[in-house]
Every structure is written in structure tokens, then in C-alpha cells.
Amino acid sequence: MKLFSELNLSPALQQQIAAANFITPTPVQAGAIPPALEGRDVIATAQTGTGKTLSFLIPLIERMPKNVKGASALVLLPTRELAMQVLEHYRHLTHAKGTAALVCGGLSEGPQLEAIRRGARLIVATPGRLEDYLDRKLVNLSGIKILVLDEVDRMLDMGFKPAIRRIAASLPKDRQTLCYSATLSPDIREVARDYLRDPVRIEIGSVLKPSPNVELQSFEVPTDKKQELLEHLLGSNKGSFLVFVRTKHGADRVARRLVRSGHSATQIHGDRSQSQRNAALSSFAQGRHRILVATDVAARGIDVADVAHVVNFDMPKEAEDYVHRVGRTGRASARGIASTFAAPDETHALRKMERTLAITTKKFRVRPRTAQTHA
């Protein structure tokens, strides 16, 4: 499959794909779409930004039974933001706004349940809220023909394994299942064993490697000089900045200091309301805020094009988190920069992470009295 136009799809879907200017599939799309269209189960390991969403939406839209009232497809994802983005992509490809229901926490139940009652053909959900609806017998999943588990590694990290098990138990045994993960850990293999039947296995590049489009650099910097260094980078680089910090309190503190210094910054983390999260993400995506300060869990659903610079203000705990963070820049064929701040006592952890990922970052050290740097 070299072109989307080669796929045996309905004329309406081909028209929408062409109208959206999708011409050449990415590797994960070329690998996953043909077997999924044939009804095969698929397990794909691919990083964020590789086109996973389209690789499951195209077969899902094509294979959902037509003229059947009620849900026949279910997409499970780790975060509300990611669920909303998948729903937006679905609507863009179908122009059928009334045929999908969003099911996630932090939003009013009324519209979600109303969409299900009206006969939504697709449910896009986070596991916690959907499990709650199942417990209260507010949703019936007996008609599901296709299940998609997206970013399943992140769902397991967030403690959703029991919820996924209960949801899967309520689905028909003869369904099709498509599973996507950034890694193929033992936990993911267990999910594949439990929920997939004779799956087609797709592995796109290294599952634990930053994109070659991203310039990697690191700074040895005292903790109390990190804010000053961040502002130095903001002054000497163009474009948008996505800044990762370890804690919710830290995200608020960094964003407040940036605003006080005259920068256009907002923040996203688990303690912010859903409307605050949506507003922050929207203003960053549309360029009203140049800087978004985020914690890891809140940032899992961020899918914003054209992020110029990712800054690891706090060192990521795991090499995998580093790859996820850095994957927010250098999307598709764009170039990006990723800067990691390491306090002097963290340089050993930085070197260990480089060895794990088989990467080398261009290293700088911050001089004691200023945030100016030298190699």
C-alpha cells in the first residue's frame, strides 16, 4: 500500500480522505490498515505522532455496520484530551456528528448518555467513566464488533487494567480488536494474549527511540538556575515551547514565573478542571499562548502540530517518558529541538538514560553566575 487511493474503500470515505489531503500513508498506516480492513486483529507498536489514529479510524469507519442503531465500535484511550481528539478526527472523516458518543470523566454525563441513547454507532471512551456506566447499566456494549485499545501501555500505567478487563468481558467474543502501544512490555504481551486472536504484529522502527528529526541537547544546570535558563532559551529560540515538569505544583510555579516575566504561558495538569485543560490546550494549539507547561499524565493526550521546542525542565523518571515527551516535537517531517535540564546530581541518570536509548545529547553546562551556556 503506497497510496490511500489504492485501498478498497467506499467512495464516500475515499472522498473524505482525499479532501483531508491524506495521500501517502505513514508506515504504521500502511502496515495496519490492510489487515484491519480484512477483519484481522492487529497489535502495533509505534510512537506518538506516527499516524496511529488514522490507521484505526479508516478500517473502523469502513467496517462498522451501516444502518444499525446502537454502538458497533468502541475506542478506549487513557485521557480525555486524547478521546476528544480521536472524536474530532472521526467527525472530520465522516461529517456525521450525531453518530459518535464521547464517554469520559470531568464532563457532564447528560450529553454523553443522550448521545448513546440516540444510537451513537461509535463510543470513544476513557476506561474509568465507561466502567462506571456499565456498573449502573447505562450503556449496552453487546453490539460492539470492533474494539480499539489505543496507548494501552499508558492505560496500564494509569491503573486501568481492571477496568479494561471488565469492559472487555462485556463485549462479544467474536469482535475484532486493534491494539496500539509505544512499547511491547510483558504487560502489553499479556493484554495481547488475553484480548486478541492471532493478531498481525506491526512494529514501526524502534519502539523506544526519539525521532531523528529532533535535535537533542542537555544542560547541566543548578536547580535554582533552571527558570533563568528556560527564559534564556525562550529569548534565543523561535516558536512554541512545551515544558515538562514533574509535579502539579511545579507546573503552576513555572507558569506563574514565566507570566510574571512577560511570557505568554499556560499550564495543564491533573488538578485543573476539564474546562481549564481544554482552554489551555486550545490556546496553545492556536498560538495564543507560546508556552504550555505540563505534567506527564496530563500531557499524554496532547497532540499539537508544530511544537518547535520540548523542554524537560525536570528530568523524566523513565527513558520511556523521555521518548514520549520528545515525541511531541519533530512530528511528521518537521524539525524540532528537545532540551533536558539536569541538576549536577542528575547527570549520572542522564547518562544512564542515553545508554538505554542509545542516543547522545549535545551537552552544555550553565556557568554559575548566569544562564548563558557553553558546550
Side-chain angles (χ1 to χ4, degrees), residues 14 16 20 94 98 158 166 189 214 237 242 245 256 274 276 287 314 316-317 333 338:
Q14 275 289 14
Q16 294 300 344
T94 61
M158 293 167 71
R166 292 204 52 204
R189 293 179 197 277
V214 182
N237 291 270
L242 179 51
V245 294
R256 275 198 307 267
Q274 187 59 37
Q276 287 174 320
D314 292 325
K317 287 182 181 168
S333 58

Side-chain angles (χ1 to χ4, degrees), residues 49-50 211 213 329-334:
T50 51
S211 162
N213 295 337
T329 187
R331 309 293 284 269
S333 58

Side-chain angles (χ1 to χ4, degrees), residues 101-104 106-118 129 133 136 138:
L102 178 68
V103 171
C104 58
L107 299 173
S108 170
E109 285 189 5
Q112 300 182 30
L113 295 170
E114 181 59 28
I116 293 168
R117 277 194 291 268
R118 281 201 312 266
R129 176 59 68 91
Y133 285 0
R136 292 152 59 196
L138 296 173

